[in-house]
Amino acid sequence: FTSAMNDRVQQDMLMQNKLKVAVGRNEFENYYQPIIDVNTKQTAGFEMLMRWNTNNQFISPSVFIPIAEQIGLIVEMTMQAIERGLKDVASWYAEGFDGYMAINLSAKHFSSRPDFEKILNLLAEHKLPPSCLRFEITEGLLVDDNNNTLDYMYEMRELGFKISLDDFGTGYSSLRYLKDFPIDVLKIDKSFVDDIDVDSGTESIIESTLIMTKMLKMDTVAEGIETPNQVAYFSKTHCRYLQGYYFSRPVSNQNCYELLQKDWNLQFSDAKSIQDEASSN
């Protein structure tokens, strides 16, 4: 036992109590990061990310999400986020947008059957199709190999929801997941994207992954795009969608409207110009 251990326990208990109060008050906000279609140069969808400001203090998701999962609040928090999100999506659809909102799910969401009926009722309330929602899961969920997980995922698919496999390649990657589970979209992790133009081995892995997903008829999203060179690299591949700070940081709903109809051609043109200049040198 050390005093530092005691301090940590007290801090965790304090955060747990704060979280319980915050969920009761619905204090969390939705922020959205655009996902860009390489072919159309338009925003194809948004990934929803939870944010929490309490008493003028920003608390990082890396702090509150693990605790919310630990004490079983993450399912309720996610449903609140879906309720807020579908209200936002309805306003985007009114502006002519026909893309999707991606929601992150963890193993806790599959410890029992997800409340599909409530989600479908919310969609009906806002006159939205199931295709406007996409669920992102991580490899850890598949590794747990819960007997019911596969059934729940197939039920999701039957209801019209698409499923993305997030952070592919960072965990216990197995091609069996892509064969046995109903995965529609594979997201290439930022740790691979960061090594473009740095490590040729990583680029070979990315290229092999893209060939595989093309043969399996899956879409691919490259995460963590931050440089023009990364944009230029993926523009020459079969990767259809890009996401990262190069295009936009996560923004509030109010700031999404300018991204809905934005033509991202300038960002792609800048990337190509920089790449062409580098090649000529």
Side-chain angles (χ1 to χ4, degrees), residues 2 12 44 51-52 61 65 68 122 143 149 157 160 182 208 234-235 237 257 273:
T2 66
D12 282 354
R51 294 291 183 262
W52 185 23
I65 294 291
L122 288 168
V143 171
T149 298
R157 170 79 72 78
S208 300
F234 281 108
S235 295
T237 69
Y257 289 97
S273 297

Side-chain angles (χ1 to χ4, degrees), residues 107-246:
K108 289 290 184 183
H109 292 91
F110 290 86
S111 57
S112 61
R113 181 179 175 276
D115 193 347
F116 296 126
E117 287 73 22
K118 184 170 183 178
I119 295 172
L120 291 172
N121 287 336
L122 288 168
L123 288 168
E125 178 185 330
H126 293 292
K127 298 180 174 58
L128 293 169
S131 59
C132 78
L133 264 186
R134 184 170 293 185
F135 294 104
E136 296 193 358
I137 63 172
T138 61
E139 290 179 23
L141 173 64
L142 308 185
V143 171
D144 288 343
D145 205 17
N146 183 319
N147 291 333
N148 295 319
T149 298
L150 188 59
D151 292 337
Y152 297 152
M153 290 176 66
Y154 271 110
E155 188 174 358
M156 276 184 183
R157 170 79 72 78
E158 289 169 6
L159 292 172
F161 303 119
K162 285 194 173 184
I163 302 172
S164 299
L165 181 59
D166 201 7
D167 302 334
F168 181 75
T170 60
Y172 301 95
S173 302
S174 170
L175 299 182
R176 181 177 65 84
Y177 299 152
L178 305 184
K179 178 179 74 72
D180 293 346
F181 288 83
I183 306 296
D184 301 290
V185 183
L186 188 146
K187 300 191 79 172
I188 299 172
D189 188 69
K190 182 181 185 300
S191 60
F192 290 96
V193 174
D194 286 344
D195 283 342
I196 289 172
D197 288 338
V198 176
D199 181 3
S200 59
T202 297
E203 292 182 10
S204 297
I205 292 172
I206 292 173
E207 290 164 14
S208 300
T209 300
L210 292 172
I211 291 171
M212 176 183 63
T213 53
K214 183 182 180 185
M215 294 178 69
L216 292 171
K217 297 181 179 178
M218 293 180 183
D219 284 329
T220 47
V221 179
E223 298 181 285
I225 300 292
E226 295 182 352
T227 69
N229 283 348
Q230 292 166 353
V231 174
Y233 172 84
F234 281 108
S235 295
K236 296 183 294 184
T237 69
H238 298 298
C239 185
R240 177 75 182 270
Y241 303 100
L242 304 180
Q243 175 183 358
Y245 285 1
Y246 179 79

Side-chain angles (χ1 to χ4, degrees), residues 61-96:
S62 64
V63 172
F64 71 80
I65 294 291
I67 295 176
E69 291 185 341
Q70 176 189 338
I71 62 177
L73 284 176
I74 191 64
V75 174
E76 185 176 354
M77 289 166 60
T78 303
M79 186 58 73
Q80 289 180 352
I82 291 174
E83 291 180 25
R84 293 190 299 268
L86 289 180
K87 199 175 295 183
D88 293 338
V89 174
S91 67
W92 304 340
Y93 268 55
E95 296 292 322

Side-chain angles (χ1 to χ4, degrees), residues 50-65:
M50 272 191 268
R51 294 291 183 262
W52 185 23
N53 286 284
T54 179
N55 297 325
N56 296 318
Q57 177 191 9
F58 172 77
I59 300 178
S60 170
S62 64
V63 172
F64 71 80
I65 294 291

